[in-house]
Amino acid sequence: MQETEEERFRFRIREHLSPRSLPVRSGNTLVAACDPDNVQHLQTVVERNDPKRADVVVMLVNAKVDQDIENTPKDAERVMDSRAVRVFSKAVHIAEKLGKPLSLVAVPGKDPYRLILEAAQNLNSSRVVLTKSLRASLDKQKHDLSRAWKQLPQHESEVSVEIFKDKDNAEIFQFRPKGV
């Protein structure tokens, strides 16, 4: 992917993430992205997505900022640091090049898998897409995601999780509601 110019973003601080607050439709695809140099999974999702059927949400978890910050414009700037701006600039570039819409969300916190799955729950996402971790094996990543899923308070619907090993190959598994 070509180097893109950094976009300028306007921040909106939201107390609670929901399909209405973002706004996106239920059944959306939540794509977690944290590395501006590794967004091939996002490119694949946006290329294959039909915007008439599902929305795409790009989410960045900034682990450098604690989750219990104040909801002030200054804290929003801390969450949207230079890395976040680069990730979102690449996401916008991909979407514009393909002529497709997407929504952007950045959250602070030290437990990215829990925050990603919690956001998927709150947004009624049917699909969560991540890239393979450079720091952990695929099995460890799946284990950590499973642990995070079990820690969430409620599971009302099934979520498909895809971990892209490269641009075209993903490991796919399901998280089901408790008791199912």
Side-chain angles (χ1 to χ4, degrees):
M1 176 182 292
Q2 297 175 274
E3 194 57 37
T4 59
E5 188 176 311
E6 282 191 4
E7 300 283 333
R8 295 177 56 90
F9 296 98
R10 278 187 281 157
F11 308 111
R12 285 196 188 134
I13 300 169
R14 298 236 173 22
E15 274 301 311
H16 302 286
L17 196 56
S18 71
R20 197 166 138 181
S21 72
L22 199 46
V24 294
R25 295 169 287 179
S26 292
N28 61 74
T29 298
L30 179 68
V31 181
C34 64
D35 180 356
D37 297 321
N38 189 9
V39 292
Q40 295 87 0
H41 64 301
L42 172 61
Q43 171 102 23
T44 300
V45 168
V46 175
E47 283 173 355
R48 296 177 182 170
N49 187 63
D50 178 355
K52 293 177 186 163
R53 294 179 169 260
D55 297 317
V56 173
V57 179
V58 179
M59 179 176 179
L60 178 130
V61 177
N62 189 333
K64 294 178 183 174
V65 182
D66 286 324
Q67 190 172 353
D68 46 337
I69 61 172
E70 299 294 320
N71 288 330
T72 65
K74 190 103 171 134
D75 284 333
E77 288 177 21
R78 286 181 46 218
V79 174
M80 279 299 297
D81 61 11
S82 63
R83 182 179 55 91
V85 169
R86 287 189 359 251
V87 167
F88 285 168
S89 293
K90 289 222 176 166
V92 168
H93 175 75
I94 290 166
E96 287 178 346
K97 186 171 78 172
L98 296 169
K100 296 186 178 180
L102 51 75
S103 298
L104 306 171
V105 174
V107 298
K110 304 285 184 193
D111 189 354
Y113 293 143
R114 183 186 58 78
L115 292 166
I116 291 164
L117 293 172
E118 191 175 89
Q121 252 187 359
N122 291 341
L123 293 171
N124 299 322
S125 303
S126 62
R127 186 174 165 218
V128 173
V129 179
L130 307 99
T131 189
K132 168 140 177 6
S133 172
L134 298 174
R135 295 185 204 104
S137 70
L138 185 60
D139 286 339
K140 169 87 167 105
Q141 195 171 7
K142 286 170 63 175
H143 176 269
D144 291 348
L145 282 159
S146 180
R147 177 194 48 80
W149 178 256
K150 290 174 184 169
Q151 289 176 347
L152 293 179
Q154 60 187 5
H155 309 296
E156 295 176 7
S157 59
E158 186 172 292
V159 175
S160 172
V161 178
E162 302 174 26
I163 301 175
F164 273 78
K165 301 176 215 176
D166 58 45
K167 187 177 186 318
D168 296 313
N169 297 306
E171 177 94 13
I172 302 171
F173 53 99
Q174 306 293 319
F175 286 139
R176 291 183 169 66
K178 289 181 180 175
V180 174

